[in-house]
Amino acid sequence: MEILLWLVPSVVVTVVAMLWVAWAGREGRGEVDREVAVRRLAAALEPDPRRRRRPSPGYAVPTPDRDRSTGVAVRPSRRAS
């Protein structure tokens, strides 16, 4: 049981930090004006006109034409010798 005593300082520090954050976090949680919140949301949802989307770069080599699949797996035939 004595070996667990080294955990006591870290548990005390953790509990004190949790209490401090809970106490400090309750400040400033007043009512937000609805019109201000709506304006902030609208500004966040609108795309930024100054930021243009660049086209994504393509590949230097064109993609090869794919063989048409028939849906049937066929093994290549071997020549009988």
Side-chain angles (χ1 to χ4, degrees), residues 54-60:
R54 295 181 182 170
S56 59
Y59 290 102

Side-chain angles (χ1 to χ4, degrees), residues 11-37:
V11 169
V12 170
V13 169
T14 302
V15 169
V16 169
M18 289 170 59
L19 291 173
W20 178 75
V21 167
W23 178 79
R26 66 183 178 90
E27 295 293 328
R29 295 180 69 84
E31 188 70 26
V32 178
D33 186 21
R34 190 175 185 94
E35 293 297 322
V36 174

Side-chain angles (χ1 to χ4, degrees), residues 1-80:
M1 186 68 180
E2 290 179 13
I3 197 164
L4 294 178
L5 289 179
W6 66 273
L7 287 174
V8 172
S10 61
V11 169
V12 170
V13 169
T14 302
V15 169
V16 169
M18 289 170 59
L19 291 173
W20 178 75
V21 167
W23 178 79
R26 66 183 178 90
E27 295 293 328
R29 295 180 69 84
E31 188 70 26
V32 178
D33 186 21
R34 190 175 185 94
E35 293 297 322
V36 174
V38 168
R39 272 188 267 133
R40 285 182 186 169
L41 179 64
L45 292 176
E46 288 179 5
D48 190 6
R50 295 176 288 159
R51 187 174 169 199
R52 291 185 308 201
R53 292 189 75 187
R54 295 181 182 170
S56 59
Y59 290 102
V61 178
T63 57
D65 293 333
R66 294 181 48 150
D67 291 337
R68 188 175 70 90
S69 174
T70 60
V72 177
V74 179
R75 291 186 180 172
S77 59
R78 284 195 236 161
R79 284 219 136 132

